[in-house]
């Protein structure tokens, strides 16, 4: 408000100062008058612009500053959230890798136990069949052993398949069955059971 008072005072006092100056040769007063008029116009124009535009420009700049600060805070917050999510996902991936390893280990152990059990069942069945058939004719004995081994392998495979299906994924399931059948076939082909 003090600025406006000084500007008004200068505008009112300036024509008096100009008129009070002496004229030398008739041109001095008009040059000073032109200069004073231009100065007064300049002061009025820019003083008025300053008066009317100062608050809107200041508010616009303040609002723009607040908007930029808010945007920076949002970006910082978004980055922190993204980093936290990345850490969480990294932990989850590590946990999943550990879980997969644990499940594979359990599946392998279960598969080995199941294989041993199947082999034990097959051996028990073969031994029982050998005791029951005794000293029968060699051709009938071999045929019966083959039939019983095939049946035992089928039953063991079906049982293993059911149990493994409950615990394992389809790919591992196929792999274990293939291994079990190969081992039963090797048992069948071994000369010590004949």
């Amino acid at each position: 408000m003090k600025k406006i008072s000084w500007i008004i005072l200068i505008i009112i006092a300036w024509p008096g100062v100009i008129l009070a100056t002496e004229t030398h040769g008739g041109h001095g007063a008009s040059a000073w008058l032109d200069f004073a008029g231009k100065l007064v116009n300049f002061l009025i124009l820019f003083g008025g612009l300053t008066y009317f535009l100062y608050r809107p420009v200041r508010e616009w700049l303040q609002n723009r500053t607040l908007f930029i600060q808010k945007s920076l805070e949002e970006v910082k917050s978004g980055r922190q959230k993204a980093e936290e999510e990345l850490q969480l996902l990294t932990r989850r991936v590590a946990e999943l890798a550990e879980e997969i390893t644990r499940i594979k280990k359990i599946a392998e152990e279960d598969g080995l136990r199941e294989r041993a059990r199947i082999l034990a069942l097959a051996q028990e069945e073969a031994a029982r069949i050998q005791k029951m058939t005794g000293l029968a004719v060699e051709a009938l004995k071999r045929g019966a052993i083959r039939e019983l081994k095939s049946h035992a392998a089928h039953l063991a495979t079906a049982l293993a398949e059911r149990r493994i299906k409950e615990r394992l994924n389809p790919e591992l399931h196929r792999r274990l069955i293939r291994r079990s059948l190969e081992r039963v076939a090797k048992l069948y082909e071994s000369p010590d059971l004949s």
Side-chain angles (χ1 to χ4, degrees), residues 5 17 32 65 84 112 120 130-131 137 140 147 158 174 178:
S5 301
V17 172
W32 275 103
T65 302
E84 290 171 1
L112 291 173
Q130 284 177 352
K131 286 179 183 178
V137 178
L140 291 174
E147 186 177 318
R174 284 190 287 274
R178 196 169 35 250

Side-chain angles (χ1 to χ4, degrees), residues 29-73:
S30 74
W32 275 103
L33 215 50
D34 286 340
F35 175 72
K38 289 177 183 179
L39 184 62
V40 168
N41 283 340
F42 174 79
L43 292 174
I44 291 172
L45 175 66
F46 288 103
L49 286 174
T50 302
Y51 177 75
F52 288 112
L53 295 178
Y54 178 74
R55 279 191 191 148
V57 168
R58 186 181 74 192
E59 289 175 5
W60 180 81
L61 288 174
Q62 287 174 346
N63 289 339
R64 185 71 179 156
T65 302
L66 291 174
F67 174 75
I68 290 171
Q69 287 174 345
K70 184 178 178 184
S71 297
L72 288 174
E73 289 173 4

Side-chain angles (χ1 to χ4, degrees), residues 122 125-130 133 137-155 181 184-191 193-194:
E125 186 73 14
R128 190 168 46 94
I129 289 171
Q130 284 177 352
T133 57
V137 178
E138 190 64 26
L140 291 174
K141 180 180 173 183
R142 286 183 182 160
I145 289 174
R146 273 191 210 115
E147 186 177 318
L148 289 174
K149 281 185 179 181
S150 174
H151 179 66
H154 178 69
L155 288 176
L181 289 175
V184 169
K186 285 180 184 178
L187 250 166
Y188 170 72
E189 293 173 0
S190 68
L193 290 178
S194 317

